[in-house]
Amino acid sequence: MSCYFRQNSDTEIAIPRYFESSGVTYYTVRVRVVQVEWLVERRYKDFDELNEKLVEEIAISKKLLPPKKIVGNKNPSFLEERRQKLEKYLRELMVFFRIQIPRALAEFLEFNKYDIIYLLQDLATLFIESGEALLSNRKQFHFSALQVYAISERLNLPCPPENIENRGKFDFSHVLDFCTQLEILKVTPVKGHDSFASDYNAVDVPIGSSNIIPKKLKFNLNAFRNIHTLKFYALPPENILDIGLLKPNLQKICVHNTTTTSINQILLCDNVHKENVIVNSPTKADIAVQGPITSSSASCTNWPKINELNFSGNLLTQIDESVRLVPQLRTLVLEQNRLKNIRNLAELPHLQTLTLSVNLISDCINWHLELGNLITLNLAQNKLKSVKGLRKLLSLVNLDLSCNLIEDIEEVDNIACLPLLETLRLTGNPLASIVDYRSRVLARFHDRASEIFLDSEKGTHKELDTALVLSALHVSFLRKKSQQ
């Protein structure tokens, strides 16, 4: 991202070509500030309007701009001559405004899209004019990666000369004031394109007409120190260089549609040695000597208030031991990843809701050793044939097993024994296509059949009557079997 006020000595303006579209001639302006480049397409009419503004506001000479021509203005030789003169005009303006670019010229050349200072001027204007209305809705705001990067970089810059920021409505303090009031922060590669937020390839697509790649924008989030929810879409967590000031207050993290393969890439996003970090839970002896872990005494890597993590739509292949860093976690959403099993969840004693739908899980052996206090479990759209490993999840209330590979009605016995179970989804399994499927499943719950919501519905009177008969027959069969 450019920063003209510090890099004006290595700035270049050129008009390499012109082209015609729908009978109108456009001139392609190329702006380069050090290594950052972008293109702007302008008509001669746009140049004329710019010149009028500069004459009125700055009192430059009106004759700097090459004059209009009514007849013969489509002649190739004339257009080439005009291209050269317009290029000379812009270069003379940039020499004249070497220290400070007037706002009209900055917008004409789109510095307000790709330059730190001028982009933040747009944000400052937005926040001072509409900040209260924006904050009235849940104190949530959606930033692009470029905007967050600009804020992060501006904090590391010396204050620009006062006439550049023009104080008043362009003052950077308006941006900081807005950011510190936010409670929910959403960051995507760009704004205005919802498809980019759902495509992890978007981080490799240049922003607008520039050569700026979102994946290469590294930033800190310390300007947003009071947020309790962070939402990251299609951006690798490694883009975050420093998140330390957010950790004491953050309660929820959402990271979606990235190429992240391991949870430590998120929870240790600002730790350059994350692969070598050994995460240890405090022992009883530690607590006896040091007292309970608090936000002030905890390791710098801990997240003391996180109660929800939503990492759906990534490429996670494992649940690594970094989950120990969120000991207060209650909800964990890992939908649409590449998980084949679960690990390290025994370190989360407060975990109540676990979503593992749309993964590659084919067995659930002894899951009660990992999920002792779980209330809601979603395993939809996996590859399960047996659910025997769930039979000891005694606190389970809600279970979704839809769209798996369960065929045998006997498998229902493994979950019908759960004393607190209230809702069960089995639709989409081969089991659901058998005759009297609902009655036969409800029959396995015996006296509790009327309490169960099967596939979001309680049993009808007819289904429950049939289930009662099937239950009696099944009990009789088991007694005879036990006597043999």
Side-chain angles (χ1 to χ4, degrees):
M1 193 172 187
S2 80
C3 185
Y4 178 77
F5 105 90
R6 298 196 73 186
Q7 302 165 332
N8 52 58
S9 61
D10 194 3
T11 298
E12 180 184 40
I13 305 292
I15 302 180
R17 69 185 185 101
Y18 64 87
F19 65 94
E20 187 175 309
S21 177
S22 301
V24 178
T25 302
Y26 291 87
Y27 297 88
T28 300
V29 183
R30 184 179 69 236
V31 184
R32 181 187 64 79
V33 182
V34 192
Q35 296 180 341
V36 178
E37 294 185 4
W38 64 91
L39 301 177
V40 184
E41 294 173 356
R42 298 296 186 208
R43 303 166 57 180
Y44 177 80
K45 179 182 177 181
D46 300 323
F47 282 88
D48 188 48
E49 291 175 354
L50 168 67
N51 198 58
E52 290 292 336
K53 289 180 182 178
L54 295 178
V55 169
E56 180 182 346
E57 297 173 7
I58 315 295
I60 68 168
S61 172
K62 193 170 185 177
K63 295 180 180 180
L64 280 176
L65 182 71
K68 299 179 182 179
K69 185 176 182 180
I70 306 299
V71 180
N73 60 6
K74 298 294 184 181
N75 185 289
S77 61
F78 168 76
L79 291 174
E80 174 59 23
E81 180 182 357
R82 174 176 275 182
R83 179 195 69 78
Q84 295 176 13
K85 289 181 177 179
L86 290 176
E87 181 179 84
K88 180 181 178 183
Y89 167 74
L90 288 179
R91 288 179 172 176
E92 288 178 348
L93 289 181
M94 296 303 288
V95 171
F96 186 75
F97 300 117
R98 186 177 183 86
I99 303 300
Q100 175 191 358
I101 303 176
R103 186 69 193 177
L105 179 57
E107 292 178 356
F108 179 87
L109 295 174
E110 296 191 346
F111 272 84
N112 59 319
K113 291 185 178 180
Y114 307 111
D115 185 90
I116 292 172
I117 300 300
Y118 297 97
L119 182 150
L120 290 176
Q121 286 184 359
D122 275 6
L123 279 182
T125 303
L126 171 66
F127 295 153
I128 196 170
E129 293 177 351
S130 307
E132 288 187 12
L134 292 170
L135 290 170
S136 65
N137 181 23
R138 299 176 60 201
K139 294 190 175 182
Q140 172 178 284
F141 194 74
H142 175 191
F143 287 90
S144 70
L146 201 60
Q147 290 171 330
V148 174
Y149 176 83
I151 294 170
S152 173
E153 288 296 299
R154 176 64 182 82
L155 289 171
N156 297 323
L157 291 175
C159 290
E162 186 168 338
N163 56 350
I164 287 184
E165 285 214 334
N166 195 24
R167 295 302 181 252
K169 70 175 184 178
F170 292 144
D171 194 271
F172 180 54
S173 64
H174 302 313
V175 177
L176 289 181
D177 181 60
F178 182 87
C179 292
T180 55
Q181 294 183 68
L182 282 179
E183 294 180 357
I184 303 174
L185 170 64
K186 177 181 177 181
V187 186
T188 60
V190 295
K191 290 183 66 173
H193 297 276
D194 291 341
S195 60
F196 279 18
S198 59
D199 181 5
Y200 58 76
N201 292 312
V203 295
D204 295 312
V205 178
I207 298 173
S209 64
S210 73
N211 63 349
I212 303 172
I213 306 295
K215 186 167 66 174
K216 297 182 179 179
L217 298 174
K218 309 292 184 180
F219 46 78
N220 72 62
L221 296 175
N222 290 332
F224 307 93
R225 63 187 65 190
N226 294 320
I227 64 169
H228 60 64
T229 300
L230 173 63
K231 300 179 179 180
F232 235 55
Y233 292 80
L235 279 169
E238 289 88 347
N239 280 38
I240 303 175
L241 297 177
D242 188 358
I243 199 171
L245 293 182
L246 278 64
K247 288 185 178 181
N249 297 315
L250 209 56
Q251 299 173 25
K252 179 179 179 180
I253 301 178
C254 303
V255 176
H256 305 297
N257 308 317
T258 75
T259 55
T260 301
T261 59
S262 183
I263 292 176
N264 69 11
Q265 292 176 254
I266 302 170
L267 297 182
L268 294 168
C269 58
D270 56 349
N271 191 317
V272 294
H273 304 294
K274 60 176 69 65
E275 298 300 331
N276 298 319
V277 171
I278 299 176
V279 183
N280 294 313
S281 300
T283 65
K284 292 182 178 179
D286 292 333
I287 296 175
V289 174
Q290 302 172 8
I293 299 294
T294 64
S295 59
S296 60
S297 63
S299 165
C300 61
T301 57
N302 274 6
W303 302 82
K305 291 187 178 180
I306 289 287
N307 57 57
E308 181 174 350
L309 296 177
N310 189 330
F311 300 154
S312 60
N314 298 293
L315 303 179
L316 295 175
T317 58
Q318 63 173 324
I319 303 174
D320 59 72
E321 63 179 9
S322 66
V323 294
R324 300 177 184 178
L325 299 174
V326 285
Q328 302 303 317
L329 192 68
R330 293 180 176 273
T331 300
L332 178 58
V333 180
L334 300 175
E335 181 180 7
Q336 290 184 310
N337 280 283
R338 297 181 179 181
L339 298 170
K340 294 183 178 181
N341 52 45
I342 63 171
R343 296 170 52 198
N344 297 305
L345 296 183
E347 305 292 338
L348 303 174
H350 303 288
L351 186 64
Q352 296 183 344
T353 301
L354 177 61
T355 299
L356 295 168
S357 55
V358 198
N359 275 283
L360 305 173
I361 300 170
S362 58
D363 62 62
C364 52
I365 300 172
N366 293 327
W367 274 23
H368 66 283
L369 300 178
E370 293 278 348
L371 306 171
N373 300 311
L374 203 65
I375 293 175
T376 299
L377 176 60
N378 187 339
L379 284 166
Q381 299 186 56
N382 277 282
K383 299 181 178 182
L384 290 169
K385 292 183 178 181
S386 173
V387 291
K388 186 176 180 180
L390 305 181
R391 64 182 297 118
K392 294 183 180 180
L393 293 179
L394 303 181
S395 60
L396 204 60
V397 175
N398 309 296
L399 177 60
D400 189 343
L401 294 170
S402 57
C403 301
N404 275 277
L405 304 176
I406 303 170
E407 298 179 350
D408 193 348
I409 189 67
E410 302 296 327
E411 287 296 327
V412 178
D413 290 341
N414 293 314
I415 46 185
C417 63
L418 301 177
L420 301 180
L421 193 68
E422 295 179 359
T423 66
L424 172 64
R425 288 180 59 83
L426 288 170
T427 184
N429 283 279
L431 170 66
S433 62
I434 65 176
V435 177
D436 290 331
Y437 148 71
R438 287 180 55 84
S439 294
R440 295 180 69 179
V441 170
L442 291 172
R444 299 299 170 125
F445 287 87
H446 304 295
D447 295 340
R448 296 187 59 235
S450 61
E451 303 172 7
I452 302 301
F453 284 85
L454 177 59
D455 300 333
S456 304
E457 295 179 357
K458 278 195 172 184
T460 64
H461 288 299
K462 182 179 179 180
E463 288 171 343
L464 292 174
D465 287 344
T466 304
L468 183 62
V469 174
L470 292 174
S471 172
L473 291 173
H474 182 61
V475 170
S476 177
F477 170 76
L478 292 178
R479 286 176 180 170
K480 290 180 181 179
K481 187 176 179 181
S482 63
Q483 293 172 356
Q484 291 176 355

